[in-house]
C-alpha cells in the first residue's frame, strides 16, 4: 500500500509549534529511534496530512531535525513556520515574510585586511514560490487565521539566517547585513539549516516568518506577549495553507510527445493506446523515435520502451557510476565524495526494481541523495534528478 503524501512543517519554539498544531485534527504522535518526536495530523477541512516537529533554536539543530523528517516521511515539501525580526522599516509587525532567498549571512573568511563575505544563498524553489504567490494573492490563507482581524501583508523577500540573536540596528552584525545582504527583509536563526537539508535531499523548502519585532533591541515583555503569538499565528496560517496547496496540486505529470525536427510540418500528430502499446499517427513530417514497430505513418511503442519502465533504470545507474568514475579520475571528485556517492548508487540500484513501492521510493530517495552529494558537478546532479523522477514514475 502506497504511503499517503505528506508535507512537513517544522518550528523552533513551542509557541510556533502550537500555532501550527491548532490547524490540525486527528493527531498521532510518533517517536523515532533517535528520540525525536513528531506529530502527524490532518489539516482541518481537508484530507491533507501534515507532519509537525520542533527543532529548537539554531541552524544546526534545524538541519538535523529536518534531515530526520525528510528521511522518515519523504515529504512533498519541507516548510518552516515561525517568528522573525524585521530588518526594513517597510516591513510591519504582524506581516508575513516568505523567504525568496535564504542567506547564511555569517559565512565569511577572516583575512589580514578584515572580514570578507563568502555568501551562501538558497533561492526559494520555483514550485513553492509559485504556490506561495497564488496563496498570498488569493488571501485564502487568511480564512485559517485564528487571531481575527484583517489579513496582514505577505511579502516574498530575502531572509537572513544566523546564530546571533540580533537586537541592534547599529551592531557589527547589522552593519554587515546592510553592507553585504542589503535586500534582507527579516532575520532569524533556522532558515539556513532548513534550506541546506532541503538542498541535499532535493526536497522543495519554504521558510515562512511572522514579524514579531524590529530586531533593534526595542522589544519588551509586553511586546512579546502581544506580537509574538500574533506573528506565530499569522505564519502558521500561511504555512498550513501553503502545505495544503502543495499537497492538493498533486505530482506534476511530464508532458510526453514525439520529438519533431525543427522546421518540419507538425500537423496531425495524435497519440493513442492500443492493446497495451502507445501508438502515434503522423500525416507528415520527419520524426526520430525508438519503437518496436514502425508501419507507414504509425509508430508503436510497447511498455518496454515507454518512459517509466523498469527495464532501463539499471543502465541509467550504470551511466551515473561511469560518469562518477570519470570525474574522480579527472580530479573533480575527491575520494570521500566518491565513496559516499557510490554508497547511494548501490542502494538505488538494489531497490529500483523491487516490487515493493516503499523500496522503490527508497531507491528514488537514494538517487536524490546522490544528486545532493554531487551538487557541485551540475551535469551529474541533473542526471541524478532525472533518474529519481524516472524511478518515482514507476510507483
Amino acid at each position: 500500500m502506497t504511503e499517503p503524501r505528506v508535507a512537513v512543517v517544522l518550528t523552533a519554539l513551542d509557541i510556533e509549534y502550537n500555532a501550527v498544531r491548532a490547524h490540525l485534527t486527528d493527531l498521532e504522535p510518533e517517536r523515532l529511534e533517535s528520540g525525536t518526536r513528531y506529530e502527524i495530523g490532518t489539516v482541518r477541512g481537508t484530507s491533507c496530512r501534515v507532519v509537525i516537529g520542533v527543532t529548537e533554536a539554531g541552524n544546526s539543530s534545524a538541519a538535523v531535525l529536518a534531515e530526520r523528517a525528510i528521511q522518515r516521511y519523504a515529504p512533498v515539501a519541507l516548510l518552516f513556520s515561525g517568528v522573525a525580526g524585521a530588518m526594513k522599516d517597510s516591513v510591519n509587525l504582524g506581516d508575513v515574510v516568505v523567504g525568496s532567498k535564504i542567506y547564511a549571512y555569517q559565512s565569511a573568511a577572516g583575512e589580514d585586511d578584515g572580514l570578507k563575505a563568502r555568501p551562501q544563498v538558497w533561492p526559494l524553489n520555483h514550485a513553492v514560490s509559485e504556490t506561495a504567490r497564488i496563496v498570498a494573492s488569493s488571501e485564502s490563507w487568511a480564512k485559517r487565521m485564528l487571531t481575527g482581524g484583517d489579513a496582514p501583508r505577505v511579502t516574498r523577500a530575502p531572509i537572513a539566517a544566523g546564530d546571533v540573536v540580533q537586537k541592534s540596528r547599529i551592531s557589527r552584525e547589522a552593519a554587515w547585513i546592510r553592507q553585504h545582504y542589503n535586500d534582507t527583509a527579516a532575520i532569524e536563526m533556522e532558515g539556513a539549516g532548513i534550506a541546506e537539508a532541503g538542498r541535499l535531499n532535493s526536497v522543495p523548502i519554504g521558510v515562512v516568518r511572522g514579524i514579531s519585532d524590529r530586531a533593534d533591541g526595542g522589544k519588551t515583555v509586553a511586546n512579546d506577549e502581544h506580537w509574538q503569538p500574533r506573528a506565530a499565528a499569522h505564519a502558521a496560517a500561511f504555512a498550513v495553507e501553503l502545505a495544503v496547496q502543495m499537497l492538493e496540486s498533486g505530482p506534476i505529470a511530464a508532458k510526453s510527445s514525439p520529438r519533431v525536427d525543427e522546421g518540419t510540418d507538425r500537423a496531425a500528430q495524435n497519440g493513442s493506446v492500443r492493446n497495451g502499446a502507445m501508438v502515434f499517427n503522423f500525416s507528415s513530417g520527419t520524426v526520430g523515435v525508438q519503437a518496436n514497430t514502425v508501419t507507414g505513418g504509425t509508430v508503436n511503442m510497447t511498455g518496454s520502451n515507454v518512459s517509466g519502465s523498469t527495464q532501463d533504470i539499471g543502465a541509467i545507474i550504470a551511466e551515473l557510476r561511469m560518469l562518477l568514475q570519470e570525474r574522480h579520475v579527472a580530479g573533480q571528485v575527491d575520494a570521500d565524495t566518491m565513496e559516499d556517492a557510490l554508497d547511494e548508487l548501490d542502494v538505488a540500484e538494489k531497490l529500483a526494481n523491487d516490487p515493493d513501492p516503499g523500496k522503490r521510493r527508497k531507491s528514488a530517495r537514494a538517487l536524490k541523495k546522490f544528486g545532493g552529494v554531487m551538487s557541485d558537478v551540475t551535469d551529474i546532479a541533473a542526471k541524478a534528478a532525472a533518474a529519481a523522477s524516472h524511478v518515482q514514475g514507476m510507483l
Side-chain angles (χ1 to χ4, degrees):
M1 180 177 177
T2 303
E3 294 181 7
R5 287 157 46 89
V6 301
V8 170
V9 181
L10 298 178
T11 65
L13 306 175
D14 287 341
I15 192 172
E16 299 164 345
Y17 181 84
N18 291 332
V20 176
R21 194 176 190 271
H23 293 274
L24 306 180
T25 62
D26 303 322
L27 285 152
E28 302 171 4
E30 181 168 7
R31 180 180 179 276
L32 305 189
E33 291 183 3
S34 61
T36 302
R37 294 179 181 271
Y38 298 98
E39 284 188 288
I40 311 169
T42 302
V43 179
R44 296 180 189 279
T46 76
S47 60
C48 297
R49 299 287 282 171
V50 170
V51 178
I52 57 175
V54 178
T55 68
E56 304 296 347
N59 286 298
S60 297
S61 60
V64 172
L65 273 293
E67 171 74 18
R68 290 177 182 173
I70 291 169
Q71 294 305 315
R72 171 62 185 90
Y73 301 106
V76 301
L78 172 67
L79 307 178
F80 196 92
S81 175
V83 301
M87 291 296 291
K88 289 186 176 295
D89 291 336
S90 58
V91 179
N92 297 318
L93 299 184
D95 282 0
V96 172
V97 177
V98 181
S100 61
K101 292 181 285 187
I102 306 298
Y103 296 136
Y105 73 87
Q106 291 178 292
S107 179
E111 299 184 6
D112 289 346
D113 57 346
L115 202 61
K116 306 296 183 183
R118 291 190 174 179
Q120 285 185 282
V121 183
W122 295 266
L124 182 62
N125 172 271
H126 178 65
V128 179
S129 177
E130 288 293 284
T131 306
R133 178 178 59 81
I134 292 170
V135 171
S137 62
S138 67
E139 295 188 352
S140 60
W141 68 278
K143 297 176 182 178
R144 297 192 180 278
M145 285 202 310
L146 305 178
T147 56
D150 296 332
R153 185 178 58 173
V154 179
T155 303
R156 286 181 297 157
I159 293 175
D163 292 317
V164 174
V165 178
Q166 181 60 29
K167 292 185 176 182
S168 171
R169 288 288 182 95
I170 61 173
S171 67
R172 181 177 61 180
E173 288 78 13
W176 177 265
I177 292 171
R178 284 196 301 272
Q179 181 181 0
H180 300 287
Y181 308 93
N182 66 359
D183 57 350
T184 295
I187 186 168
E188 41 97 325
M189 300 177 68
E190 295 80 32
I194 295 295
E196 180 66 358
R199 182 188 74 84
L200 292 177
N201 291 279
S202 300
V203 174
I205 70 102
V207 177
V208 181
R209 294 287 181 172
I211 300 302
S212 61
D213 63 87
R214 295 203 167 278
D216 60 2
K219 189 167 63 168
T220 64
V221 173
N223 174 279
D224 270 354
E225 289 178 350
H226 177 74
W227 282 112
Q228 196 171 65
R230 294 184 71 85
H234 294 170
F238 192 94
V240 167
E241 181 63 18
L242 181 57
V244 167
Q245 294 296 327
M246 294 291 292
L247 288 165
E248 290 186 341
S249 63
I252 299 173
K255 184 177 180 181
S256 178
S257 61
R259 187 173 178 182
V260 181
D261 290 346
E262 290 291 334
T264 61
D265 182 1
R266 303 187 184 196
Q269 300 178 25
N270 301 294
S272 61
V273 177
R274 300 177 189 166
N275 300 321
M278 181 66 76
V279 179
F280 290 96
N281 296 305
F282 303 87
S283 62
S284 62
T286 303
V287 182
V289 298
Q290 289 183 331
N292 277 30
T293 308
V294 179
T295 306
T298 301
V299 180
N300 294 278
M301 302 178 70
T302 62
S304 63
N305 287 327
V306 178
S307 176
S309 74
T310 62
Q311 300 298 317
D312 55 355
I313 186 61
I316 294 172
I317 293 176
E319 181 185 8
L320 288 171
R321 189 175 277 111
M322 179 189 69
L323 290 171
L324 177 62
Q325 295 277 2
E326 289 177 353
R327 301 305 169 85
H328 176 59
V329 171
Q332 296 178 4
V333 177
D334 62 38
D336 290 340
T337 301
M338 172 89 166
E339 183 177 353
D340 291 342
L342 286 173
D343 287 344
E344 299 301 338
L345 284 182
D346 289 343
V347 172
E349 187 172 39
K350 180 180 178 181
L351 301 177
N353 292 326
D354 195 288
D356 181 355
K359 291 185 178 179
R360 290 205 298 273
R361 191 175 294 106
K362 289 181 179 179
S363 173
R365 196 179 303 156
L367 286 166
K368 290 179 180 179
K369 291 176 71 175
F370 169 83
V373 172
M374 299 301 297
S375 59
D376 289 336
V377 187
T378 54
D379 60 333
I380 295 183
K383 287 180 182 291
S389 297
H390 182 91
V391 175
Q392 287 178 326
M394 292 155 46
L395 294 175

